[in-house]
Amino acid sequence: MAVLAIIALAEQTALNSISPYLPDMASTFPEVKQSQVGVYVGSIASAFALAQFSTNYFWGWLSDRIGRKPVILLGTFLTAMCFVAFGFCKNLAQAIVVQALMGVVNGNQGLVSTCLGEITDRSNQSQAFTYLPVIYGIGGITGPLLGGLLIFETNPFTGSKNPYPYLAPNVLSAVVLLMDFVFTALFLEESLEDADSLPKIGKKVRSLFTWLWQFTGNARHPTYVEVPPTVPYPHGRRDLDIDEHDSDLDSASEVSSILGHPEELTWDEIFTRDTLLLLVTYLIFALCNVSFNSLFPIFAQAKPPAGRSLTPSEIGLAQGFAGIVTIIFQICIFNRLRDKMGNRWSYRAGLFGFVISFILLPFIGYKSKTGKGLTSKSAIMAVELCLVLLVKTIASVGGLTSALLLVKNSKSLFLYTPRKLMIFLGYKLGT
């Protein structure tokens, strides 16, 4: 569980480092007009979200075939490379392409929730899923501070204009992810139920490339790597007819069936009335969460009267405050509140909290135009800003945790592998 926490912390630190400077970065692109910064920031963020959404289930499917650990390692390494590339972006097209690639290769957020569900049971799942947003809260502090405080408009060594002012936070984010890659490779244990029957990593890679080559080559008779013959059959049944050419990519699911493990529920059995209601409301909840996270930096960076003219460092500090609120609320308040309200009512309260935060955001005051340093007007604006972020953070953290617990505590999903919905709901848990 500690290793999963470190993976989540590294991911959130890197991903949260972008939002403080993204509006400022987009405003420097030659094709972006100042009045349209919000539109293009939304385009960049949407490229990442759409790409991640389109491939999220694929990474979950692949992790069922080759194991959770290889997929997490692959996603971590490729995401680190995308961060380095993003620091060198000089126009809008480059930024959109790199963010889309980052979304395509990053499926780790859903996999972390899946792994957490596989190593916990009803005796400790509540505590585990309660502390997962605490890790995201820490990442909500370290990420914005990293992205907001490491912007160098001028070269700190020569004093000349820096051609890549946003490179430093991206390179540091890549370093954090590479350290996470090494730590994961050394200490993460495979949580897939049939991990013992999976081949070694070298054989997995060869099998994967063989599968891709034969699939794209339209081979009539594919010759994938065969299933290991030393599979322990229950009840002494050794006469089962197994195709000797089955792929290693499918071996885990077949071994699970042979060993008598319960198969996953069908989609019709999973999508009951209650599950559909949860998914629909969660879609609205996630839309509000992602919309606020994208809107706030744009609103904070824009010039008055549309925005509040905050610098990237001030935006990073404000988002760091939200991370502190996440930790305090999750550790000190949420469990007691959920015990009294239950998961359903705390989830409803989270939805209502978003309504309040969206209503209050436009009424935040302005910074002082004449005073230097901290003036009374700027202090009032800071208090109002923190109040809105407080309401939003409590709503998102409490609601997201309750949603995960509602899924995990579903009787049918608890008795069977919950990967399908955990992958589905594991998308974009950051605050």
Side-chain angles (χ1 to χ4, degrees):
M1 194 176 298
V3 179
L4 291 177
I6 293 176
I7 295 173
L9 177 58
E11 289 268 338
Q12 291 302 310
T13 297
L15 295 176
N16 286 328
S17 68
I18 296 176
S19 60
Y21 65 79
L22 186 57
D24 195 60
M25 181 183 187
S27 66
T28 64
F29 294 153
E31 62 268 59
V32 175
K33 297 179 181 179
Q34 189 63 37
S35 60
Q36 297 179 316
V37 170
V39 175
Y40 294 113
V41 169
S43 300
I44 296 171
S46 297
F48 173 85
L50 181 61
Q52 190 179 48
F53 172 79
S54 62
T55 59
N56 212 30
Y57 186 76
F58 165 77
W59 292 117
W61 171 86
L62 186 62
S63 72
D64 280 348
R65 270 66 185 176
I66 67 174
R68 314 291 188 224
K69 185 174 180 177
V71 176
I72 290 176
L73 287 173
L74 180 63
T76 301
F77 179 79
L78 294 179
T79 302
M81 297 301 100
C82 288
F83 267 99
V84 175
F86 192 65
F88 288 99
C89 291
K90 299 292 289 183
N91 57 58
L92 180 64
Q94 293 174 353
I96 291 178
V97 169
V98 173
Q99 282 293 307
L101 287 175
M102 191 181 298
V104 166
V105 302
N106 190 311
N108 288 359
Q109 292 183 3
L111 286 178
V112 168
S113 299
T114 302
C115 292
L116 194 60
E118 289 173 339
I119 64 175
T120 58
D121 52 31
R122 286 188 179 272
S123 64
N124 58 4
Q125 67 184 240
S126 179
Q127 182 180 8
F129 281 98
T130 297
Y131 278 93
L132 184 60
V134 173
I135 304 301
Y136 293 154
I138 298 175
I141 299 172
T142 56
L145 291 179
L146 185 155
L149 301 178
L150 292 180
I151 306 300
F152 299 107
E153 298 290 344
T154 59
N155 192 312
F157 302 104
T158 64
S160 59
K161 184 178 180 180
N162 187 2
Y164 301 104
Y166 310 101
L167 180 60
N170 282 279
V171 170
L172 190 55
S173 296
V175 171
V176 170
L177 289 173
L178 291 177
M179 293 173 61
D180 172 42
F181 177 88
V182 174
F183 188 86
T184 302
L186 293 176
F187 299 108
L188 180 64
E189 296 182 2
E190 181 61 63
S191 63
L192 187 63
E193 184 179 6
D194 300 316
D196 293 340
S197 65
L198 294 175
K200 300 298 181 182
I201 185 65
K203 198 172 182 181
K204 292 177 186 177
V205 173
R206 290 195 301 271
S207 179
L208 175 61
F209 278 101
T210 300
W211 180 84
L212 289 174
W213 176 78
Q214 294 188 350
F215 179 79
T216 56
N218 295 321
R220 292 186 177 181
H221 302 288
T223 56
Y224 304 143
V225 181
E226 64 185 48
V227 177
T230 58
V231 177
Y233 298 98
H235 312 299
R237 294 181 61 188
R238 299 179 180 271
D239 56 344
L240 293 176
D241 183 18
I242 302 176
D243 188 353
E244 62 179 358
H245 299 301
D246 285 339
S247 170
D248 278 338
L249 297 177
D250 296 322
S251 61
S253 59
E254 292 191 9
V255 170
S256 176
S257 177
I258 293 172
L259 294 178
H261 297 307
E263 297 181 356
E264 289 186 356
L265 294 172
T266 64
W267 287 112
D268 291 338
E269 292 171 316
I270 288 177
F271 288 120
T272 62
R273 173 182 174 276
D274 290 342
T275 304
L276 287 174
L277 285 174
L278 178 60
L279 289 177
V280 171
T281 57
Y282 185 85
L283 175 63
I284 299 172
F285 188 96
L287 177 64
C288 293
N289 192 32
V290 174
S291 298
F292 192 101
N293 291 341
S294 300
L295 174 65
F296 174 74
I298 301 171
F299 167 79
Q301 183 267 347
K303 302 296 181 183
R308 298 302 180 262
S309 192
L310 299 184
T311 64
S313 60
E314 290 171 332
I315 297 173
L317 290 172
Q319 292 178 322
F321 166 79
I324 295 174
V325 171
T326 299
I327 297 172
I328 296 175
F329 174 74
Q330 201 71 8
I331 294 177
C332 303
I333 302 173
F334 177 74
N335 276 335
R336 298 177 183 177
L337 192 64
R338 185 179 59 83
D339 289 341
K340 293 183 178 180
M341 299 177 60
N343 287 325
R344 273 196 309 175
W345 277 103
S346 58
Y347 181 50
R348 292 168 180 169
L351 286 167
F352 182 72
F354 271 114
V355 176
I356 301 299
S357 61
F358 274 112
I359 291 175
L360 293 178
L361 187 62
F363 293 98
I364 295 176
Y366 296 90
K367 292 171 64 176
S368 176
K369 296 181 179 179
T370 57
K372 295 183 179 180
L374 183 63
T375 64
S376 58
K377 188 175 182 179
S378 297
I380 293 174
M381 183 213 66
V383 171
E384 294 173 348
L385 187 66
C386 290
L387 177 62
V388 173
L389 289 176
L390 175 68
V391 175
K392 180 265 172 185
T393 302
I394 291 176
S396 62
V397 173
L400 286 169
T401 307
S402 299
L404 287 175
L405 288 172
L406 283 171
V407 172
K408 191 68 175 66
N409 288 334
S410 174
K411 182 177 180 182
S412 59
L413 295 179
F414 179 77
L415 291 175
Y416 294 86
T417 304
R419 190 218 9 110
K420 289 181 180 178
L421 278 182
M422 296 306 295
I423 287 287
F424 199 82
L425 293 185
Y427 171 68
K428 199 63 179 175
L429 287 174
T431 58

